[in-house]
Amino acid sequence: MTGKSRRGDNQKLKMLYLAKIFFEETDDEHYLTMPQIIDKLASCGVNADRKTLYLDFEELRRFGLDIISFKEGRECFYHLGSRDFELAELKLLVDSVQAAKFITDKKSKELIKKLESLVSKHEGKQLQRQVVISGRIKTMNESIYYNVDKLHEAIGADAQIRFRYYQWNVRKEMELRRDGAWYQVSPWSLMWDDENYYLVAYDAEDHKIKHYRVDKMLQISVTDTRREGKEAYRGFDVPRYTKSLFGMYGGEETKVTLEAENSMVGIMIDRFGKDIFITPVNENHFQTVVNVAVSNQFLGWIMALGDGVKIISPASVVEQMKREIRRLAKQYE
């Protein structure tokens, strides 16, 4: 028998295989004995004995692996302790990936599979059980990942971008907006709202900040033209902007006074944040002033809250609500 055969075909990879075994096979609930470790290394083409493995364990500990050993009776057990991610943290990430509308079903499965590799194969089964397919609507645009990467590239390069923008028609076909004309804007940031990715960009033609659904952007390219709108973006409050919009539908931003029953205060805080002022009106009602982009979506949100919430001012928004109510009544006559 040659020296190579005694040592194993993959002897030089011994430490890598050993680390792999600890990562994949062990956790706080699953352990390996020394004979089991030796057998698993042998199946990888690596020969080992107890004496050298004790030294190997110490080397891996010095490298940063939390290899834990404990004794029960005459048997000694080994497993990997702490990892970069706790199982509970990965469950949260898996749920986020599964719930995110902008991630396709295919990409969701790929990402979850990669998250599973961060724990042992035993704990990975728990992550699989976390995934509940409940008919959530997912995007069909696989290119969103490359879009996001391209947009970050443009922002880092301080460059404008060109792209085409699409919408769906009644035949469920992608239809280019503006008859296929190119958009050219200055990208400033990305934000995630209402389960979708949006680009916040400056439109030089309209001299204003706008937002675009990233999954509806096509053929994005980075131009040689430097970005514009730095001052406009500097004065742009992204968190306030997202709170003021409903379903990312635009409208003229207005200070609106709302009067609501006390039981509605949680809904107001969830929507507009804890920094809103709450002014008691009587024992059962309060008023608050919020910045909103007044659109039909906002009016519909108020209607959905029923008689517990009422728009008080300005008069123009109250009148807009009355018109919408009359329009709906006429539509359903």
Side-chain angles (χ1 to χ4, degrees):
M1 184 180 289
T2 66
K4 181 179 179 182
S5 298
R6 286 194 301 270
R7 294 178 63 231
D9 295 332
N10 294 319
Q11 207 67 24
K12 289 184 178 180
L13 302 176
K14 179 183 179 183
M15 297 299 277
L16 294 175
Y17 279 120
L18 189 56
K20 186 172 185 283
I21 289 167
F22 274 110
F23 272 108
E24 293 182 355
E25 304 284 344
T26 73
D27 53 51
D28 289 337
E29 301 294 330
H30 300 87
Y31 327 108
L32 292 174
T33 63
M34 186 66 82
Q36 288 174 325
I37 294 172
I38 291 172
D39 286 345
K40 288 183 180 296
L41 283 172
S43 68
C44 298
V46 176
N47 290 331
D49 56 53
R50 289 175 177 269
K51 185 177 179 181
T52 57
L53 280 175
Y54 290 135
L55 297 175
D56 293 335
F57 294 166
E58 285 306 314
E59 286 296 307
L60 289 175
R61 289 187 182 109
R62 284 179 58 198
F63 183 68
L65 269 66
D66 184 26
I67 296 175
I68 298 172
S69 64
F70 65 94
K71 209 165 187 179
E72 282 190 6
R74 300 183 62 182
E75 194 73 76
C76 199
F77 297 88
Y78 301 86
H79 72 99
L80 189 64
S82 62
R83 297 170 184 255
D84 289 338
F85 289 92
E86 295 178 14
L87 183 60
E89 293 172 330
L90 289 173
K91 285 181 178 180
L92 287 175
L93 292 175
V94 165
D95 284 349
S96 298
V97 168
Q98 187 60 47
K101 194 162 63 175
F102 69 88
I103 305 178
T104 62
D105 274 326
K106 180 185 174 204
K107 196 63 177 178
S108 292
K109 290 171 184 172
E110 290 175 3
L111 290 173
I112 290 168
K113 196 71 181 171
K114 290 177 181 179
L115 289 173
E116 287 174 20
S117 70
L118 297 175
V119 291
S120 71
K121 65 182 183 182
H122 312 288
E123 292 181 330
K125 292 176 182 177
Q126 294 188 49
L127 294 183
Q128 291 168 12
R129 286 199 294 272
Q130 281 292 108
V131 183
V132 179
I133 306 299
S134 59
R136 293 186 182 103
I137 297 171
K138 306 279 274 182
T139 183
M140 292 172 284
N141 186 358
E142 191 78 26
S143 67
I144 186 171
Y145 321 105
Y146 310 107
N147 286 359
V148 169
D149 188 52
K150 185 67 71 174
L151 293 172
H152 279 300
E153 177 190 338
I155 291 169
D158 194 27
Q160 294 186 25
I161 58 166
R162 292 178 81 237
F163 62 95
R164 286 193 168 106
Y165 207 47
Y166 79 85
Q167 60 190 3
W168 293 104
N169 62 26
V170 294
R171 295 182 298 278
K172 295 189 284 187
E173 298 168 338
M174 289 168 54
E175 187 174 81
L176 292 175
R177 302 183 71 169
R178 293 186 183 176
D179 295 323
W182 289 93
Y183 290 65
Q184 181 155 335
V185 298
S186 300
W188 284 99
S189 66
L190 286 161
M191 64 182 184
W192 187 8
D193 187 84
D194 193 29
E195 297 190 70
N196 289 304
Y197 247 132
Y198 292 88
L199 169 70
V200 176
Y202 179 75
D203 186 332
E205 285 187 18
D206 288 346
H207 307 288
K208 63 191 291 188
I209 296 288
K210 295 184 178 180
H211 64 266
Y212 305 87
R213 274 267 299 268
V214 175
D215 61 319
K216 293 186 180 297
M217 299 169 69
L218 300 171
Q219 298 169 274
I220 300 173
S221 62
V222 182
T223 73
D224 294 327
T225 309
R226 287 178 65 84
R227 287 188 300 178
E228 298 177 323
K230 186 175 183 178
E231 290 303 316
Y233 182 71
R234 185 175 291 167
F236 183 71
D237 188 334
V238 174
R240 180 186 160 198
Y241 178 69
T242 54
K243 279 191 293 185
S244 74
L245 294 174
F246 282 77
M248 297 307 290
Y249 286 91
E252 185 178 350
E253 192 169 337
T254 309
K255 284 186 181 295
V256 176
T257 301
L258 302 175
E259 185 172 303
E261 295 176 355
N262 290 343
S263 60
M264 296 286 181
V265 69
I267 293 173
M268 295 298 154
I269 290 173
D270 287 344
R271 175 68 240 193
F272 301 106
K274 286 184 69 176
D275 55 344
I276 60 172
F277 288 101
I278 302 295
T279 306
V281 174
N282 52 44
E283 288 186 1
N284 301 313
H285 296 81
F286 67 90
Q287 284 189 1
T288 184
V289 179
V290 294
N291 284 297
V292 295
V294 179
S295 63
N296 285 346
Q297 284 68 33
F298 166 66
L299 300 178
W301 181 74
I302 294 292
M303 291 179 194
L305 295 176
D307 57 7
V309 180
K310 181 181 179 181
I311 299 172
I312 300 300
S313 66
S316 60
V317 178
V318 174
E319 183 56 38
Q320 193 172 339
M321 174 63 95
K322 289 178 179 178
R323 288 198 304 269
E324 180 63 10
I325 292 168
R326 289 194 294 267
R327 185 193 68 78
L328 284 170
K330 186 175 180 180
Q331 181 177 334
Y332 287 95
E333 282 177 355

